[in-house]
Amino acid sequence: MGQETRGSAPCPLCTSGYQHIFPLRSRRLGEREGTRRAKAAGPDEGPRSTSSPGRTLSPLSHPVSPDMELPSACSHPGWFLLLLLLGLLLWARRRRAWDPRKCPTDLTGKTVIVTGANSGIGKCVALELARRNARTILACRSRERGQVAVEEIRAATGNPAVLLRLLDTSSLASVRAFARAVLREEKRLDVLVNNAGVTGLPFAVTPEGLERTFATNYLGPFLLTNLLLGLLKASAPARVVNVSSFRHHAGTADGRFLTGQQRLNGRNATYSSTKLMNLLFTAELARRLQGTGVTVNALSPGVVNTGIMRHFSWAIRALFVLIRPFIKSAEQGAISTIYCAVAEEVSGITGKYFDSECRLALPSPAARDAGLARKLWEESEQLTGVIDGSQP
């Protein structure tokens, strides 16, 4: 809004809004302005008039000065708080507690597996590990998308030891076939990243009698890790990295969820519960692996712009498009996973949970329940047929 010219009517929004917020200060400034104008008019002149003849100018009926003219919306303190919050969000989005570029870890001679590596966080993690010269196995459900990712990572890193192996963590048969191939073909395994996950899927029971989302996000990774424990121990020091979520705080752990005998109310509740199970699995596995040289930790990538929301309604997807400037990219979301996989600072640490800024964080009380973790482990053993890394 430009400055008001003499003779024009004052803006009612500016004057009323300003005086409503700062009534005392506005009155005093108006009185000073009236006095100043009276002096400027001279001793023989009365108060200057507006465009209406014979009308005396009231100190409060005119903006205090051209420099003080502010739209009422901009003068409201709520706008300052909104701008401050926006600035903090942008700052937090760009802030990095740990920078992979400053980490000197070289993985020459090491073998790593990343599940769900054809896109999103998994692909970014695989790219970074391949850049560090690791023999990098992309465990993907889709042959076509997985092969595209392999070629892109090879081209970007110059590392020819980037391989594709098919894996569908929602199928225990697929997990067993993948594990048999790894044990047959690989001499070592130094890092296993359980990244594959889904959300937004409707309730469904697989042909193996497992609820689909719980099988994909939790039970498949549970079986895979147990089947590869022998190779991990033989390659020690080795690491298992489980991608969980801050949403585990809203989760519930009940073994009946795994088979669909008990249903949760809503897809968000299902996803949150699988992420809680990831943390319980991490804690119990760390306890069982003490003294083996194999560590296991879990992390939250934060709110990340990836294709994981593709199964939600168009309204939810549209909302994510709107907030995209304020959330992490896949590259940024992968940092906490990379940190747990290669950072020297994590060496020897096990059974812990790291937030999206690579800081040690305290998970929910349910995630710290040792009794609940043991019970879930035993129920998972029964469903998968795995006992201490072996299968009947």
Side-chain angles (χ1 to χ4, degrees):
M1 183 180 295
Q3 294 184 352
E4 183 182 338
T5 58
R6 182 176 298 174
S8 63
C11 173
L13 289 176
C14 295
T15 54
S16 63
Y18 187 84
Q19 293 160 12
H20 174 71
I21 301 168
F22 305 109
L24 180 58
R25 185 179 179 186
S26 178
R27 189 180 305 116
R28 289 175 177 172
L29 289 172
E31 291 171 355
R32 293 174 186 171
E33 179 66 11
T35 302
R36 186 185 66 79
R37 295 190 180 203
K39 290 180 179 179
D44 297 330
E45 298 182 31
R48 297 192 181 201
S49 62
T50 64
S51 56
S52 301
R55 183 177 176 184
T56 303
L57 179 67
S58 168
L60 295 182
S61 66
H62 196 279
V64 295
S65 75
D67 294 335
M68 295 298 294
E69 291 178 15
L70 293 171
S72 59
C74 293
S75 66
H76 197 284
W79 277 106
F80 172 76
L81 295 176
L82 182 60
L83 289 173
L84 179 61
L85 177 60
L86 179 59
L88 288 173
L89 284 172
L90 291 173
W91 173 81
R93 177 176 178 265
R94 290 167 172 78
R95 177 177 176 267
R96 289 185 178 183
W98 181 78
D99 190 342
R101 296 170 297 181
K102 298 179 180 178
C103 175
T105 300
D106 182 80
L107 298 177
T108 299
K110 308 290 187 181
T111 299
V112 304
I113 294 175
V114 183
T115 68
N118 62 274
S119 64
I121 290 174
K123 182 179 178 182
C124 294
V125 172
L127 174 67
E128 180 64 27
L129 300 181
R131 185 177 285 128
R132 295 173 184 271
N133 304 309
R135 176 178 172 84
T136 307
I137 299 174
L138 278 62
C140 306
R141 185 174 56 181
S142 168
R143 182 182 297 275
E144 292 74 20
R145 293 194 296 271
Q147 191 58 43
V148 170
V150 165
E151 297 300 332
E152 291 177 351
I153 293 174
R154 285 176 179 172
T157 63
N159 184 348
V162 179
L163 313 171
L164 172 65
R165 297 289 182 267
L166 296 184
L167 171 66
D168 179 358
T169 56
S170 71
S171 165
L172 300 187
S174 175
V175 173
R176 289 189 176 96
F178 176 87
R180 283 196 298 269
V182 170
L183 294 175
R184 183 176 61 250
E185 299 169 4
E186 303 300 329
K187 297 177 180 173
R188 61 182 304 118
L189 178 58
D190 301 273
V191 180
L192 170 62
V193 179
N194 288 312
N195 165 77
V198 295
T199 186
L201 292 176
F203 175 87
V205 176
T206 70
E208 295 172 316
L210 304 173
E211 201 288 319
R212 180 170 51 178
T213 300
F214 280 94
T216 303
N217 293 6
Y218 165 67
L219 208 54
F222 172 89
L223 174 59
L224 176 63
T225 305
N226 274 279
L227 293 178
L228 297 178
L229 276 183
L231 189 56
L232 285 162
K233 292 176 182 178
S235 308
R239 301 185 186 188
V240 177
V241 179
N242 294 325
V243 179
S244 182
S245 170
F246 66 91
R247 286 170 57 182
H248 79 273
H249 286 274
T252 305
D254 188 325
R256 293 174 296 177
F257 296 157
L258 301 176
T259 57
Q261 297 176 24
Q262 184 77 18
R263 294 181 59 171
L264 284 156
N265 184 22
R267 301 176 189 182
N268 286 331
T270 297
Y271 178 77
S272 299
S273 296
T274 65
K275 294 298 141 180
L276 171 60
M277 290 182 177
N278 290 151
L279 283 171
L280 291 167
F281 166 51
T282 298
E284 180 62 13
L285 180 59
R287 186 185 70 82
R288 291 169 179 255
L289 289 176
Q290 288 179 357
T292 65
V294 180
T295 61
V296 52
N297 291 293
L299 68 297
S300 170
V303 183
V304 186
N305 177 32
T306 67
I308 197 171
M309 302 301 296
R310 63 187 179 276
H311 298 296
F312 279 90
S313 67
W314 67 267
I316 299 297
R317 295 198 304 271
L319 176 61
F320 258 71
V321 170
L322 291 175
I323 66 173
R324 185 176 296 169
F326 309 108
I327 62 179
K328 293 186 175 185
S329 64
E331 292 79 5
Q332 293 169 326
I335 289 177
S336 53
T337 305
I338 298 168
Y339 176 78
C340 290
V342 303
E344 296 174 341
E345 297 92 321
V346 187
S347 179
I349 295 177
T350 190
K352 301 302 181 181
Y353 171 63
F354 293 84
D355 66 15
S356 60
E357 301 299 334
C358 306
R359 299 172 300 200
L360 275 173
L362 192 66
S364 69
R368 306 195 305 271
D369 188 329
L372 183 60
R374 283 193 297 270
K375 181 180 179 182
L376 178 64
W377 183 283
E378 292 166 359
E379 292 171 329
S380 301
E381 281 183 332
Q382 294 176 4
L383 289 172
T384 59
V386 169
I387 300 176
D388 294 330
S390 62
Q391 68 180 81

